[in-house]
Amino acid sequence: MVGLEISKKSDSDSIKNNRLSDAVINLDQGDPTAFQEYWMKMKDRCTVVIPGWDMMSYFSNTTDVCWFLEPELAKAIKALHGAIGNAATEERYIVVGTGSSQLCQAALFALSSLSEVKPVSIVAATPYYSTYVEEASYLQSKLYKWEGDARTFDKNGPYIEMMTSPNNPDGTIREPVVNRSGKVIHDFAYYWPHYTPITRRQDHDLMLFTFSKITGHAGSRIGWALVKDIEVAKRMVQYLTINSIGVSKESQTRATTILNEITKICRNKSESFFEYGFEKMKSRWERLREVVDSGDTFTLPNYPQAFCNFFGKSISNSPAFAWLGCKEERDLGSLLKENKVLTRGGDRCGCDKKYVRVSMLSRDDDFDIFLHRLATIKDLKCIKP
Ligand code: PMP
C-alpha cells in the first residue's frame, strides 16, 4: 500500500533552518523530483535487475520502423494511453527517443528535410518553452530557422509550429495559432491527469510525450513520439540513428516496468500514481495561491475548471510551472535571485521580464523555502530598485 500521506522529512531541523536562511533554491529547471516520495513508498515494486549478458545488441526489433524500440515498451505506452484516454495510438508509429528533447530535434529534421522549400520557419506562440529556441537555432541548420512568436508570424512559405498543451511555461490549454497549411508538432509533455483535466483523446499527426514529466523519472531520458506518416517516422529514426544509434535498452526496460505499474494501479484510489500526483500538485498550487493572494505584489494565471474524463469529475489545472508575474514593472527574475530563488525569466520565453517561470516540481523542502521567501518579498511590497 503506497498511501497518499506526506512522509516525514529526512532533514533535521538544524539543517533545515540553515537552509532556510542560506540556500539558493533552483526553480529554474523543471527537475521533477517532487514525486520521489511516492516512488520511495513503492519500495521494490519497480526494481529492475539486468544480468550482465543481457541487452548487448544495438537492435530491438528489426521489423519495426523504429528498430531500436523495445517491443515491451511499445506495448506499455499503448496500454498507458489507453487507460488514461489522453491520446490515440492506433495506426501510428511509435518512435522512442533519449527524452522528448531528442525527438523534438528529430521531428524538426524529419519535417523540414521532407519540405521542398528550405529553410522551414519554426514558430511557437509566446510565452513558449525556451528550449525550443535553442533546439531550433543551436546547429544553425540550413533546413530550418527559428522565427519566434507564432502569433505575429506572417512569412510566406513552409513552417512548423511548436504547440505545447498544457503550455510550458504558463499552463494554459492551447491550440495551434498560425492555422495555414504548415506542420504542427504537438508537445503533450504535461497532458496527464495530475496536471490537467483530460478532456479529449488527442489525435494529431505528430505528438510528443515524455516519461520525465509523467512519473518524474527524468534521469531515464525516455520520450516517445506518436507519428501518423511513415515517411516522417522513418526520417525521425534516421536522425536518431545518426545522433545516438538508438536509445538505451536499460532505460527502456526501466520505463516499461514503471509505466506498466502505473497503468495497472491507475484506478486504485489509494495506490494510483495519478491520484497521488493530482493531490500533490493541487495542494502545492493552493499553497502558492494563498501566498500570492494574501498580498498585492504578484500575479498568477487563473485556470477554468473542466471535466476530466479520467477522474470523472470537474477539476482545474495544476501546471508543472507557475507563471508568476509582478504587478509593478520590474525584473522579477532579478528580484527573486536577490532572495536566492532562481527562476527562468519571462524574456527567455519571448515575454516580459516582469514574469518568471517557477518550477512546481521541486522537492518539498525547496518548495517550502520558496513559499517562505515569496511571502517575505510580498511583505516588503516589492521595493522599488
Ligand atoms: N517538452 C516540454 C514542453 C518540456 O517541458 C520538456 C521538459 N522540460 C521537454 C519537452 C523535454 O523533456 P525530456 O527531454 O526530459 O523528455
Side-chain angles (χ1 to χ4, degrees):
M1 200 64 121
V2 172
L4 300 180
E5 80 281 4
I6 304 298
S7 69
K8 275 190 202 137
K9 300 205 168 70
S10 53
D11 287 357
S12 72
D13 282 350
S14 65
I15 295 171
K16 199 168 166 200
N17 288 341
N18 192 24
R19 297 194 70 200
L20 267 173
S21 58
D22 284 339
V24 172
I25 304 302
N26 190 339
L27 302 179
D28 174 351
Q29 284 126 8
D31 196 18
T33 45
F35 307 131
Q36 192 177 29
E37 163 200 63
Y38 174 90
W39 294 108
M40 287 173 84
K41 287 183 189 161
M42 291 294 271
K43 299 213 164 78
D44 276 341
R45 277 169 63 167
C46 289
T47 299
V48 176
V49 179
I50 301 172
W53 50 263
D54 205 0
M55 298 178 196
M56 295 176 66
S57 170
Y58 284 117
F59 301 96
S60 293
N61 177 4
T62 48
T63 65
D64 198 303
V65 166
C66 188
W67 53 266
F68 45 81
L69 167 63
E70 286 288 304
E72 289 305 313
L73 177 59
K75 275 193 224 159
I77 289 169
K78 287 182 191 164
L80 178 63
H81 285 301
I84 304 301
N86 62 342
T89 54
E90 307 81 38
E91 292 166 25
R92 283 169 162 82
Y93 301 92
I94 299 180
V95 181
V96 66
T98 299
S100 69
S101 303
Q102 192 187 30
L103 289 165
C104 181
Q105 292 163 75
L108 293 183
F109 167 77
L111 295 173
S112 59
S113 64
L114 288 166
S115 165
E116 278 174 20
V117 180
K118 301 175 185 81
V120 174
S121 301
I122 314 291
V123 295
T126 57
Y128 43 66
Y129 173 39
S130 58
T131 304
Y132 294 148
V133 186
E134 286 137 26
E135 287 170 345
S137 323
Y138 189 62
L139 290 177
Q140 299 172 30
S141 170
K142 289 187 175 151
L143 294 174
Y144 46 79
K145 187 169 184 288
W146 174 252
E147 292 285 356
D149 189 2
R151 287 200 191 84
T152 53
F153 175 66
D154 59 2
K155 267 197 170 174
N156 289 324
Y159 69 89
I160 299 169
E161 179 174 349
M162 298 301 310
M163 206 289 310
T164 320
S165 187
N167 190 38
N168 171 357
D170 67 355
T172 52
I173 303 303
R174 288 189 152 186
E175 298 286 342
V177 302
V178 181
N179 293 323
R180 288 191 251 137
S181 53
K183 304 286 180 192
V184 181
I185 297 175
H186 284 84
D187 187 338
F188 287 130
Y190 305 98
Y191 191 55
W192 296 97
H194 45 324
Y195 299 121
T196 192
I198 303 301
T199 54
R200 65 176 145 140
R201 199 163 161 261
Q202 302 290 355
D203 184 0
H204 305 279
D205 289 351
L206 206 171
M207 303 187 280
L208 299 181
F209 291 90
T210 165
F211 185 42
S212 308
K213 300 303 164 97
I214 308 173
T215 61
H217 291 86
S220 292
R221 308 303 304 122
I222 292 290
W224 60 89
L226 302 177
V227 186
K228 259 195 195 156
D229 182 342
I230 189 166
E231 295 310 320
V232 175
K234 279 184 180 166
R235 291 270 172 136
M236 288 179 72
V237 169
Q238 186 188 4
Y239 177 95
L240 294 162
T241 304
I242 296 166
N243 193 252
S244 53
I245 324 183
V247 174
S248 159
K249 306 269 177 290
E250 286 88 344
S251 286
Q252 291 191 57
T253 302
R254 186 173 189 218
T256 303
T257 303
I258 292 171
L259 293 182
N260 280 338
E261 187 65 21
I262 61 170
T263 303
K264 191 172 89 189
I265 59 180
C266 74
R267 294 276 165 205
N268 178 332
K269 265 215 162 274
S270 63
E271 293 196 322
S272 167
F273 171 76
F274 294 103
E275 291 278 354
Y276 162 85
F278 172 73
E279 292 301 333
K280 176 124 203 149
M281 297 307 295
K282 185 166 161 262
S283 127
R284 283 197 174 185
W285 270 92
E286 281 167 1
R287 292 177 60 208
L288 175 60
R289 282 198 194 281
E290 215 175 291
V291 172
V292 168
D293 292 348
S294 64
D296 198 25
T297 305
F298 301 114
T299 61
L300 279 175
N302 285 313
Y303 303 108
Q305 293 240 333
F307 188 82
C308 174
N309 297 332
F310 176 74
F311 285 127
K313 62 180 178 188
S314 209
I315 59 170
S316 184
N317 280 14
S318 299
F321 296 98
W323 186 237
L324 188 69
C326 186
K327 286 190 178 166
E328 291 173 21
E329 291 302 319
R330 60 170 302 165
D331 179 345
L332 182 53
S334 301
L335 174 71
L336 291 169
K337 196 171 173 191
E338 281 162 28
N339 288 272
K340 297 191 171 142
V341 178
L342 305 184
T343 57
R344 190 161 299 183
D347 51 330
R348 290 208 33 213
C349 309
C351 274
D352 207 279
K353 283 186 175 181
K354 66 189 267 196
Y355 294 100
V356 293
R357 188 194 82 164
V358 186
S359 171
M360 293 291 282
L361 299 180
S362 66
R363 291 198 166 82
D364 285 340
D365 285 351
D366 284 352
F367 187 70
D368 292 348
I369 296 170
F370 162 60
L371 289 188
H372 182 266
R373 293 196 186 152
L374 201 62
T376 317
I377 303 170
K378 177 208 75 184
D379 289 342
L380 297 177
K381 291 267 179 285
C382 202
I383 300 164
K384 290 224 164 25

